[in-house]
C-alpha cells in the first residue's frame, strides 16, 4: 500500500513559501521561519495570502506533491497540478460511463449505498455507545429506515430516482444529527445545512471539513489517473469537481461528520473560537482553524481496517484507496465499485 | 510484412517489463501509470548522453558508439542501445563515413552481477534484431557488461531467441492495439514490483464486490 506522508498546512497569513534545493522554506519578510524537506510531504495546503514561488510550484508539480491555495477563511481557491499522468485509456472509459445514464447509475448507487450504510452505522453506534444520553428509539427509527432505503438502491438504474432516494435519506439523517452533539450543546447545535455562508458553528466546521476532504479526494483521483471533474451522479458543471463530490458521498458522514462531532464532543473547539461576519456568516478564528487542522492531520494517521481489502490502512489513505478501487472497476478488474462500508 | 507507423512503435525497453509481468508492461506502456513515464526517461537519457563528447570513440579496429537510437520497421519497436561496438571484419558491412567493413555488437550495461534473467536477454536480442535490420547484416552474439564485477559476458544469439522475441512483440502489439491491460497473475514477482500499489494484485483474489455488498447489507 502507498505510504501516507505529511501534509504541511501553512496558516500564518503573511508567509511566503519558496524552494531551496530539495526543501520548502517558509518565510516572513526576509526571515526564514521553517524548512521542510519536500520528500517528506504529500501535500501542501496554504491559507496565506503572500503566495508561493513559481520554482516551488514546479517542484511540487513534478514530485506529485499536491499544492492547494485556500482563502483565509478556509474556502478552496486553486490547486497546482502537474503534467497529466497520461492515462488516456482509463479516462476515456470514465467519460463513456459518465455519458451513459445506466452505467453512471450503477456506479453512483454503490457510492450512495456507502453513504447510507455509513450514516446508518453512525446512528447505530451512538445508540450503543451513548444509550443513556441519546433518544435510542428515535435514532433506531432513522437507522432502520436508512437500511430499508439502502436495499431499494441495489436495483436503481436511473439517476433521478437515485437522487430522490439520496435526498430523502439525507433529510432523515440530518433530522437527528443534532442528537449526536453531546457536549457544549448550548453553543453547538444543528438545525440544517447552511453552506454559503455557514450560519452556525456546526455548519462552519462541517463546511471546512468537507473542503479538506474534497481536496484530499481530488488529489487521490488525480494520482490514480482519473479526471476529478467528470462525475457520475453529479453532472458536469464547469469548475466543479463532480467525481470528487461523488466519491465524497460515502465518506462525508464517516470521515467528515464524525470528525466534526469529535471536535465538539471532545471540546477541541469551543464557543469562543468563532466570530460572526456582517453577512451572518460564522467564521472560525485562526487559533481554532489551527486546532482543527492539527486534529485533521492526526485523524489521518489513525488506522482502520479496510472492509473490502481486509487490510489495515491509515484513515488518510481511504480517499486514495477508494480512488484506486474505482479506477480498477473502470478498467474492468472488478465486477462492481466497492464502496467503503464502515461499521 | 507489415510496416508500422513510427508513432505506433513500442518501446524496446518494454520487452523486459513484458517478460517480467504482462500487466506491469501494460500499466506502464498502455496506461502510462508511472511516476515518470518511460518515454521521458528515455528521452532524458538520450539527451544526457548526446551532450557527451565521448559518444563515438575509435580504438584501432574498434569503433564504440554510445546511446545509439535503434528501431525496426518490421517489428515496430524503437529504443536505445547503451553501447554498440563496431568491429572491423571482412564479413562485415560498410558504415557511412567509415572506411572498411564492420560488424556491430550491442553491449548492454547492467548493474550488479550476472544473474539468470530472461527478461534482460530478450531485450538484448531485440537490440540485435534492430541493428540487423538497420545495417542489413547478421549478428550472432552480443554482450552484457556488469559494472559490479567490471566484466562482460558474451551472449550467443540463436534463431530460437529471435522467434521468441518476435512472439513477445506480437503479443505486446496485440494488447497495445486493443488498449487492453491483462489481469494480474499475482506471484512472488509482485513483491519486487514497483507498481504493486497501483496494480493491487491481491484484488483479484478477493471475493466479488457484489457478494461483499450483499453480505454487508444483510447483516
Ligand atoms: S504487482 Fe504483480 S501482477 Fe501487478 S504488475 Fe506488478 S508483478 Fe504484475
Amino acid at each position: 500500500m502507498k505510504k501516507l506522508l505529511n501534509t504541511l498546512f501553512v496558516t500564518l497569513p503573511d508567509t511566503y513559501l519558496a524552494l531551496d534545493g530539495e526543501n520548502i522554506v517558509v518565510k516572513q519578510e526576509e526571515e526564514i521561519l521553517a524548512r521542510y524537506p519536500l520528500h517528506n510531504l504529500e501535500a501542501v495546503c496554504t491559507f496565506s495570502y503572500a503566495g508561493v514561488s513559481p520554482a516551488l510550484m514546479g517542484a511540487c508539480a513534478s514530485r506529485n506533491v499536491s499544492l492547494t491555495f485556500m482563502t483565509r477563511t478556509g474556502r478552496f481557491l486553486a490547486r497546482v497540478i502537474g503534467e497529466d499522468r497520461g492515462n488516456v485509456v482509463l479516462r476515456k472509459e470514465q467519460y463513456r460511463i459518465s455519458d451513459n445514464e445506466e452505467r453512471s447509475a450503477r456506479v453512483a448507487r454503490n457510492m450512495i449505498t456507502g453513504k447510507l450504510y455509513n450514516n446508518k452505522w453512525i446512528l447505530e453506534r451512538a445508540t450503543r455507545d451513548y444509550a443513556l444520553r441519546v433518544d435510542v428509539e428515535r435514532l433506531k427509527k432513522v437507522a432502520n429506515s436508512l437500511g430499508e432505503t439502502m436495499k431499494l438502491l441495489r436495483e436503481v438504474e436511473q439517476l433521478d430516482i437515485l437522487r430522490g432516494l439520496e435526498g430523502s435519506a439525507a433529510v432523515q439523517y440530518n433530522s437527528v444529527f443534532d442528537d449526536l452533539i453531546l457536549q457544549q450543546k448550548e453553543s453547538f447545535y444543528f438545525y440544517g445545512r447552511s453552506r454559503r455562508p455557514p450560519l452556525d458553528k456546526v455548519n462552519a466546521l462541517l463546511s471546512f471539513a468537507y473542503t479538506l476532504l474534497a481536496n484530499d479526494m481530488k488529489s487521490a483521483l488525480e494520482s490514480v489517473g482519473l479526471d476529478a471533474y467528470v462525475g457520475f451522479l453529479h453532472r458536469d458543471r464547469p469548475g466543479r469537481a463532480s467525481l470528487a463530490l461523488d466519491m465524497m458521498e460515502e465518506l462525508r458522514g464517516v470521515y467528515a461528520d464524525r470528525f466534526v462531532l469529535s471536535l465538539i464532543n471532545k471540546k477541541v473547539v469551543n464557543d469562543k473560537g468563532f466570530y460572526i461576519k456582517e453577512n451572518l456568516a460564522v467564521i472560525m478564528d485562526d487559533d481554532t482553524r489551527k486546532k482543527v487542522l492539527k486534529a485533521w492531520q492526526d485523524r489521518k494517521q489513525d488506522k482502520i481496517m479496510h472492509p473490502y481489502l481486509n487490510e489495515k490502512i491509515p484513515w488518510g489513505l481511504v480517499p486514495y484507496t477508494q480512488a484506486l478501487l474505482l479506477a480498477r472497476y473502470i478498467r474492468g478488474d472488478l465486477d462492481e465499485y466497492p464502496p467503503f462500508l464502515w461499521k | 510484412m507489415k510496416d508500422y507507423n513510427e508513432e505506433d512503435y513500442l518501446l524496446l525497453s518494454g520487452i523486459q517489463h513484458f517478460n517480467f509481468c504482462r500487466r506491469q508492461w501494460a500499466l506502464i506502456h498502455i496506461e502510462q501509470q508511472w511516476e515518470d513515464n518511460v518515454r521521458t526517461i528515455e528521452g532524458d537519457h538520450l539527451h544526457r548522453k548526446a551532450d557527451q563528447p565521448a559518444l563515438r570513440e575509435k580504438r584501432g579496429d574498434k569503433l564504440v558508439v554510445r546511446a545509439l537510437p535503434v528501431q525496426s520497421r518490421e517489428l515496430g519497436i524503437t529504443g536505445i542501445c547503451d553501447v554498440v561496438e563496431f568491429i572491423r571484419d571482412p564479413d562485415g558491412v560498410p558504415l557511412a563515413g567509415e572506411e572498411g567493413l564492420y560488424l556491430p555488437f550491442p553491449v548492454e550495461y547492467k548493474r550488479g552481477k550476472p544473474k539468470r534473467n530472461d527478461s534482460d536477454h530478450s531485450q538484448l536480442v531485440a537490440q540485435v534484431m534492430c541493428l540487423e535490420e538497420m545495417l542489413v547484416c547478421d549478428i550472432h552474439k552480443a554482450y552484457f557488461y556488469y559494472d559490479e564485477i567490471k566484466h562482460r559476458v558474451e551472449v550467443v544469439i540463436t534463431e530460437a531467441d529471435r522467434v521468441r522475441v518476435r512472439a513477445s512483440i506480437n503479443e505486446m502489439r496485440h494488447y497495445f492495439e486493443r488498449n487492453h491491460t491483462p489481469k494480474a497473475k499475482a506471484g512472488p514477482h509482485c513483491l519486487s514490483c514497483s507498481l504493486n500499489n497501483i496494480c493491487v494484485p491481491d484484488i483479484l483474489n478477493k471475493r466479488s464486490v457484489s457478494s461483499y455488498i450483499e453480505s454487508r447489507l444483510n447483516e
Side-chain angles (χ1 to χ4, degrees):
Chain A
M1 229 339 130
K2 187 178 144 114
K3 271 247 288 286
L4 179 65
L5 300 174
N6 297 319
T7 301
L8 174 65
F9 292 110
V10 181
T11 53
L12 282 173
D14 53 349
T15 44
Y16 182 75
L17 305 180
L19 180 71
D20 178 16
E22 292 293 303
N23 299 294
I24 285 192
V25 287
V26 182
K27 289 187 193 171
Q28 207 169 31
E29 306 278 322
E30 277 312 296
E31 193 194 343
I32 292 180
L33 299 182
R35 176 189 297 274
Y36 305 95
L38 262 183
H39 70 259
N40 286 337
L41 295 176
E42 185 157 281
V44 178
C45 183
T46 174
F47 298 79
S48 159
Y49 54 73
V52 171
S53 78
L56 179 59
M57 290 190 205
C60 287
S62 70
R63 285 173 183 72
N64 261 321
V65 175
S66 92
L67 173 58
T68 314
F69 297 87
M70 303 276 203
T71 65
R72 290 294 302 139
T73 56
R75 276 198 46 198
F76 173 81
L77 271 179
R79 265 151 54 72
V80 173
I81 302 175
E83 202 181 349
D84 260 336
R85 302 262 298 280
N87 193 354
V88 66
V89 181
L90 176 67
R91 221 169 284 207
K92 273 190 91 170
E93 190 60 20
Q94 177 191 350
Y95 298 159
R96 279 186 211 110
I97 298 177
S98 172
D99 279 342
N100 179 310
E101 157 114 14
E102 267 165 45
R103 293 184 72 193
S104 290
R106 276 198 292 266
V107 188
R109 73 185 178 200
N110 284 13
M111 295 166 176
I112 299 303
T113 301
K115 174 176 187 160
L116 268 53
Y117 183 93
N118 293 334
N119 289 356
K120 172 182 146 112
W121 283 99
I122 290 172
L123 302 179
E124 293 276 3
R125 273 212 186 187
T127 65
R128 188 190 69 196
D129 297 348
Y130 308 109
L132 298 176
R133 292 281 323 268
V134 298
D135 184 341
V136 172
E137 207 177 311
R138 204 168 115 86
L139 295 188
K140 281 265 183 209
K141 219 174 117 203
V142 175
N144 288 339
S145 139
L146 291 178
E148 291 308 313
T149 313
M150 231 151 52
K151 287 184 184 144
L152 297 177
L153 282 175
R154 283 302 276 156
E155 306 300 327
V156 174
E157 294 207 325
Q158 277 167 285
L159 291 170
D160 286 345
I161 298 182
L162 194 54
R163 291 198 189 95
L165 290 172
E166 195 271 323
S168 66
V171 170
Q172 296 200 41
Y173 170 75
N174 282 343
S175 75
V176 292
F177 190 74
D178 193 54
D179 294 32
L180 305 176
I181 298 170
L182 302 171
Q183 291 284 351
Q184 317 190 70
K185 283 214 80 105
E186 53 311 327
S187 8
F188 291 91
Y189 33 77
F190 182 84
Y191 295 134
R193 212 33 209 127
S194 53
R195 267 165 270 250
R196 289 180 186 193
L199 297 173
D200 56 53
K201 298 179 210 69
V202 176
N203 271 296
L205 289 167
L206 286 174
S207 287
F208 190 51
Y210 293 156
T211 307
L212 294 176
L213 181 57
N215 211 11
D216 289 351
M217 203 67 245
K218 271 186 265 186
S219 309
L221 289 167
E222 271 150 21
S223 80
V224 302
L226 288 166
D227 186 335
Y229 290 81
V230 175
F232 305 130
L233 183 66
H234 291 83
R235 305 318 290 174
D236 304 348
R237 188 187 295 165
R240 175 163 83 177
S242 298
L243 184 61
L245 296 177
D246 287 357
M247 295 290 288
M248 265 177 70
E249 290 297 347
E250 62 190 86
L251 297 179
R252 265 177 217 273
V254 72
Y255 206 137
D257 296 357
R258 284 178 66 238
F259 171 72
V260 167
L261 287 169
S262 82
L263 291 176
I264 300 168
N265 289 340
K266 293 196 175 134
K267 299 189 178 166
V268 177
V269 296
N270 63 47
D271 193 25
K272 294 187 190 61
F274 297 80
Y275 58 91
I276 300 174
K277 295 273 275 202
E278 300 70 25
N279 63 350
L280 300 181
V282 174
I283 312 273
M284 56 185 111
D285 64 22
D286 284 357
D287 192 41
T288 301
R289 187 169 307 110
K290 236 193 237 167
K291 283 185 203 151
V292 173
L293 290 171
K294 164 86 173 54
W296 181 260
Q297 193 58 18
D298 290 346
R299 173 101 174 102
K300 282 190 181 182
Q301 309 293 337
D302 291 347
K303 290 274 172 57
I304 167 96
M305 186 62 119
H306 192 284
Y308 178 68
L309 294 178
N310 269 327
E311 206 179 309
K312 254 209 162 128
I313 59 169
W315 266 106
L317 275 189
V318 171
Y320 173 79
T321 309
Q322 293 310 116
L324 191 75
L325 289 169
L326 180 66
R328 289 292 120 218
Y329 164 71
I330 292 175
R331 292 295 283 127
D333 291 340
L334 295 169
D335 56 320
E336 285 189 58
Y337 164 69
F340 185 82
L341 301 175
W342 172 86
K343 212 164 98 164
Chain B
M1 191 200 307
K2 197 163 170 183
D3 232 10
Y4 292 99
N5 187 334
E6 283 196 17
E7 277 186 10
D8 296 331
Y9 280 8
L10 299 173
L11 288 181
L12 200 154
S13 56
I15 294 172
Q16 66 172 319
H17 301 132
F18 191 76
N19 286 343
F20 175 75
C21 167
R22 277 151 213 230
R23 182 171 170 90
Q24 190 200 57
W25 170 81
L27 289 172
I28 298 172
H29 295 260
I30 299 180
E31 296 197 25
Q32 313 249 311
Q33 297 264 348
W34 192 252
E35 298 293 324
D36 294 288
N37 86 43
V38 196
R39 263 174 216 277
T40 340
I41 296 172
E42 293 212 64
D44 288 352
H45 179 75
L46 179 64
H47 196 111
R48 258 202 329 271
K49 289 279 169 91
D51 285 344
Q52 290 174 5
L55 203 62
R56 200 177 162 101
E57 238 175 86
K58 217 164 162 182
R59 277 185 247 127
D61 277 350
K62 210 193 228 179
L63 174 66
V64 182
V65 179
R66 280 165 211 283
L68 182 69
V70 294
Q71 61 171 39
S72 158
R73 286 194 182 287
E74 189 197 332
L75 298 169
I77 58 173
T78 178
I80 296 159
C81 295
D82 283 339
V83 170
V84 179
E85 288 187 0
F86 292 91
I87 310 285
R88 253 185 122 120
D89 189 313
D91 292 333
V93 290
L95 281 186
E98 298 292 334
E99 262 178 50
L101 302 175
Y102 286 87
L103 273 182
F105 301 100
V107 186
E108 176 75 5
Y109 277 63
K110 286 284 155 208
R111 283 216 219 129
K113 317 190 242 269
K115 44 189 171 301
R116 180 90 203 103
N117 189 332
D118 290 336
S119 313
D120 292 349
H121 186 246
S122 335
Q123 198 175 336
L124 200 53
V125 176
Q127 292 180 11
V128 162
M129 292 168 81
C130 288
L131 287 166
E132 286 180 329
E133 188 182 311
M134 291 173 81
L135 295 162
V136 199
C137 63
D138 293 318
I139 303 170
H140 306 291
K141 61 182 184 188
Y143 301 94
F144 282 121
Y145 179 87
Y146 293 95
D147 72 345
E148 192 170 309
I149 55 165
K150 304 232 180 316
H151 191 67
R152 62 161 60 178
V153 176
E154 184 180 298
V155 179
V156 176
I157 311 289
T158 68
E159 201 41 42
D161 291 332
R162 291 186 178 80
V163 170
R164 216 175 28 244
V165 165
R166 202 167 274 131
S168 292
I169 293 171
N170 282 340
E171 212 184 321
M172 285 159 69
R173 171 77 50 198
H174 187 63
Y175 287 124
F176 194 75
E177 277 168 3
R178 290 187 303 137
N179 273 330
H180 176 71
T181 305
K183 298 221 152 117
K185 283 206 189 94
H189 58 312
C190 296
L191 293 176
S192 64
C193 172
S194 50
L195 296 189
N196 202 301
N197 68 35
I198 292 169
C199 167
V200 202
D202 294 342
I203 278 186
L204 295 178
N205 301 329
K206 308 262 183 245
R207 58 192 166 142
S208 76
V209 176
S210 24
S211 75
Y212 154 72
I213 296 175
E214 296 298 342
S215 74
R216 289 247 153 182
L217 294 199
N218 292 320
E219 333 170 290

